[in-house]
Amino acid sequence: MHSSSAFSESPAVRWTLIAIAIGFLALFLVLPLIAVFAEALRRGIGMFLEAFAEPDTQAAIRLTLLVSAIAVPLNLVFGLAAAWAIAKFEFPGKSLLITLIDLPFSVSPVVSGLVYVLLFGAKGVLGPTLDDWDFKIIFAVPGIVLATIFVTFPFIARELIPLMQEQGTAEEEAALTLGASGFRTFLTVTLPNVRWALLYGVLLCNARAMGEFGAVSVVSGHIRGLTNTMPLHVEILYNEYNFVAAFAVASLLAALAFVTLGAKSFLEWRHGDALAATRRH
Amino acid sequence: MSVAVARGWTPTLRKPSALPGFGLTFGFAVTYLSLIVLIPLAVLVWRASGIGLEGIWHVATTPRVLAALQVSFFTSAAAALINAVFGVIVAWVLVRYDFPGKRLIDAAVDLPFALPTAVAGIALAALYATNGWIGSLFAPWGIKIAFTPYGILIALVFIGLPFVVRTVQPVLEDFDREVEEASATLGATRAQTIFRVILPALSPAILTGVAMAFARAVGEYGSVIFIAGNMPFVSEIAPLLIVTRLEEFDYSGAAAIATIMLAISFVALLVINGVQAYSRRRFGDA
């Protein structure tokens, strides 16, 4: 390496930049995280655990698990189908389709919830029809599921599409030539090739599904014990000045974020070459 | 990349392939996309068009909506600019320098993507309130951060933090070091090389990251409402006003504000695509 100052920064500049970067990240990332756990444990571990004994909190945890257990598999099936069609075939309008799949990322969460209220709400397009059938979507669990599917829509597809495009069709063609059925080819050739990217997409999709606030808040109606997901329950507790309980539930969501980030980094580090090119470090 | 071009009319409109399942997977994907995303968004635009372009303009220019749009726009722009400066420094440090804990810091950058916005919101509100760890440092000087527009700015910096870092990082990793060496050999100082050789090459990535951070910030709701104070005309953001309109059952008003916000994110998306197209022409596939 050159040591001359024209080729690299002086040690003073170097360490100043490192200090600025670490200071900025500590201030904006680490401190809020510490605050969550500090506030949750402020009155001791007993009060912290008491928050989880509350039936409404348990109902919120169950609802969050239920919503993500429906939304993630549906988006997984969609991601696989969309990636198969887009990566393995050539057809006009392909780039438009890719753009449309990414669309939910550029829509405000609040708008993502709003569209379903306009469609299924009491004064919405299909509101009267649903009323006749006595079926509730808005201010009920189906609306929460729909809004969650919307905001997490692109996560799995966008991990699979670029990877499967890179992988091409040669291996599948070989399997077909050797007599495997189309479905068997998919199960034994394509799926193993994309499994780490699939897991990566599921991780991100699940984190967002469990943590979504804005979109779900619009369609939920905030009925305690019935339509409150964990993030919404955090809001209710916080607004009731029940800070310890609010931060206790929040710390559970923060732990989920930790696990997600840890698993994500592990996949990037250990299986980077089996992920979409943008994920390789 | 592989943009399909239909060379003349072919019966199936797609190139023949040995692989099966196109009809099934394409049909399912398009149906699901239409049901979940396209039709609901079309209903929104249709609902807003019910009051006409004049109606939307009327809604947009009522003082409270205009104020909320301004608050959203300016705080988002300021947050994106702050993230531009610090995001480039973080990306630079992560790519170019070695120091203990680097891998951990690299992973931590994605925290705002993983941490639920409501959690970030209450944590930031607790930190920056006048009795919080950071807020109490400023309170003696008469500076309030939480429950003012500065609070919104803090939340939006948090939310947008990964975008610039993650768009600049890969470009910097691929940057040809020989270009820097040539610049140095030709007599440029290190500062000249950085500001006149490296930063211009990074600028499309920086712009893309800034536009993405801005688009995300304009629509952000969860992390902002806890720290904003939500005072009409002062610290009320546009997404919150949509929620307020919905609670009043003013569906048309909500749809109108939402359509304006969709237009803003659409413009941001166009800027991103434009910048990327420009940089592909100018700098190759970056």
Side-chain angles (χ1 to χ4, degrees):
Chain A
M1 275 303 283
H2 301 276
S3 55
S4 160
S5 66
F7 289 93
S8 63
E9 299 79 52
S10 67
V13 172
R14 179 179 302 226
W15 286 106
T16 308
L17 287 176
I18 292 176
I20 292 174
I22 292 180
F24 178 71
L25 296 179
L27 182 65
F28 276 96
L29 299 182
V30 182
L31 215 50
L33 262 189
I34 296 174
V36 170
F37 291 97
E39 294 285 336
L41 294 167
R42 170 171 285 206
R43 298 271 156 76
I45 189 93
M47 287 281 280
F48 172 81
L49 291 175
E50 221 166 83
F52 297 103
E54 183 72 21
D56 287 344
T57 304
Q58 291 178 357
I61 295 174
R62 274 197 303 274
L63 181 59
T64 292
L65 292 174
L66 171 74
V67 168
S68 128
I70 301 172
V72 175
L74 282 174
N75 282 339
L76 172 68
V77 173
F78 164 74
L80 281 170
W84 181 266
I86 288 171
K88 306 293 182 188
F89 299 92
E90 291 301 328
F91 57 92
K94 188 193 269 194
S95 37
L96 176 69
L97 184 58
I98 296 176
T99 308
L100 289 178
I101 288 173
D102 267 345
L103 199 58
F105 276 165
S106 36
V107 175
S108 166
V110 169
V111 178
S112 310
L114 169 72
V115 292
Y116 292 110
V117 177
L118 296 180
L119 203 50
F120 300 122
K123 281 169 67 187
V125 182
L126 297 176
T129 320
L130 289 169
D131 230 24
D132 291 343
W133 295 346
D134 208 17
F135 186 68
K136 267 182 87 105
I137 292 183
I138 300 306
F139 302 156
V141 175
I144 298 176
V145 172
L146 276 174
T148 305
I149 293 177
F150 186 104
V151 293
T152 59
F153 191 87
F155 276 106
I156 297 172
R158 68 181 351 222
E159 296 304 326
L160 294 179
I161 292 169
L163 180 69
M164 280 167 69
Q165 277 180 330
E166 258 177 76
Q167 289 174 342
T169 55
E171 289 186 35
E172 281 84 2
E173 279 160 11
L176 289 167
T177 314
L178 292 169
S181 70
F183 189 61
R184 185 151 177 234
T185 304
F186 172 76
L187 278 186
T188 55
V189 177
T190 313
L191 215 47
N193 276 341
V194 299
R195 64 185 190 278
W196 297 117
L198 195 71
L199 183 60
Y200 193 96
V202 166
L203 270 173
L204 299 185
C205 184
N206 180 63
R208 182 70 192 267
M210 290 189 168
E212 177 53 25
F213 178 79
V216 169
S217 159
V218 171
V219 296
S220 135
H222 307 271
I223 309 163
R224 278 185 95 126
L226 284 179
T227 64
N228 253 356
T229 61
M230 281 167 75
L232 297 179
H233 195 55
V234 168
E235 183 197 22
I236 287 196
L237 292 169
Y238 187 84
N239 287 342
E240 286 171 349
Y241 300 101
N242 190 351
F243 293 134
V244 169
F247 279 101
V249 179
S251 69
L252 198 58
L253 287 167
L256 167 75
F258 268 133
V259 173
T260 305
L261 279 187
K264 177 177 165 299
S265 304
F266 177 78
L267 284 180
E268 284 166 4
W269 167 62
R270 193 73 185 76
H271 299 286
D273 50 348
L275 299 177
T278 48
R279 301 300 187 189
R280 290 167 202 154
H281 279 306
Chain B
M1 257 170 58
S2 48
V3 180
V5 181
R7 290 195 179 79
W9 171 260
T10 53
T12 58
L13 268 179
R14 66 176 171 90
K15 288 187 185 163
S17 165
L19 267 50
F22 178 76
L24 179 71
T25 54
F26 182 81
F28 174 75
V30 170
T31 310
Y32 187 76
L33 174 72
S34 306
L35 287 178
I36 297 289
V37 179
L38 301 182
I39 294 173
L41 281 176
V43 167
L44 166 70
V45 176
W46 171 76
R47 184 92 197 199
S49 71
I51 58 171
L53 223 51
E54 280 160 59
I56 294 177
W57 182 251
H58 180 74
V59 169
T61 49
T62 47
R64 188 167 167 192
V65 175
L66 202 60
L69 285 171
Q70 277 173 345
V71 168
S72 281
F73 187 89
F74 285 113
T75 50
S76 300
L81 289 178
I82 291 173
N83 275 324
V85 175
F86 288 98
V88 170
I89 294 176
V90 171
W92 179 268
V93 164
L94 286 177
V95 173
R96 290 300 175 95
Y97 302 152
D98 263 320
F99 53 94
K102 183 169 136 171
R103 188 184 287 281
L104 200 67
I105 288 172
D106 195 1
V109 168
D110 282 331
L111 184 73
F113 288 154
L115 193 69
T117 52
V119 178
I122 63 170
L124 292 172
L127 279 176
Y128 288 91
T130 43
N131 59 352
W133 294 344
I134 301 176
S136 60
L137 301 178
F138 289 90
W141 307 86
I143 301 170
K144 275 187 70 176
I145 299 176
F147 318 121
T148 72
Y150 296 113
I152 304 178
L153 184 66
I154 299 283
L156 295 181
V157 169
F158 172 85
I159 272 312
L161 193 149
F163 287 100
V164 175
V165 179
R166 290 302 186 225
T167 48
V168 170
Q169 214 175 358
V171 180
L172 199 53
E173 266 161 13
D174 291 341
F175 190 77
D176 194 350
R177 296 292 277 265
E178 283 176 18
V179 178
E180 285 170 53
E181 280 162 25
S183 160
T185 316
L186 291 169
T189 64
R190 186 61 186 160
Q192 281 174 327
T193 303
I194 288 175
F195 285 101
R196 302 186 63 174
V197 177
I198 302 174
L199 277 181
L202 293 182
S203 56
I206 298 172
L207 257 175
T208 305
V210 166
M212 286 164 79
F214 175 80
R216 171 74 205 263
V218 166
E220 178 56 20
Y221 177 71
S223 58
V224 174
I225 55 162
F226 292 100
I227 197 174
N230 306 324
M231 288 248 302
F233 298 101
V234 179
S235 56
E236 183 179 56
I237 54 167
L240 176 65
L241 202 49
I242 295 180
V243 175
T244 311
R245 290 283 187 266
L246 265 183
E247 281 166 359
E248 296 161 351
F249 291 101
D250 177 7
Y251 283 17
S252 299
I257 304 170
T259 309
I260 297 163
M261 290 182 51
L262 273 188
I264 295 176
S265 28
F266 184 67
V267 170
L269 213 65
L270 278 183
V271 170
I272 295 170
N273 283 339
V275 168
Q276 281 171 342
Y278 168 80
S279 78
R280 264 195 299 275
R281 277 201 310 275
R282 175 92 164 67
F283 299 102
D285 204 32

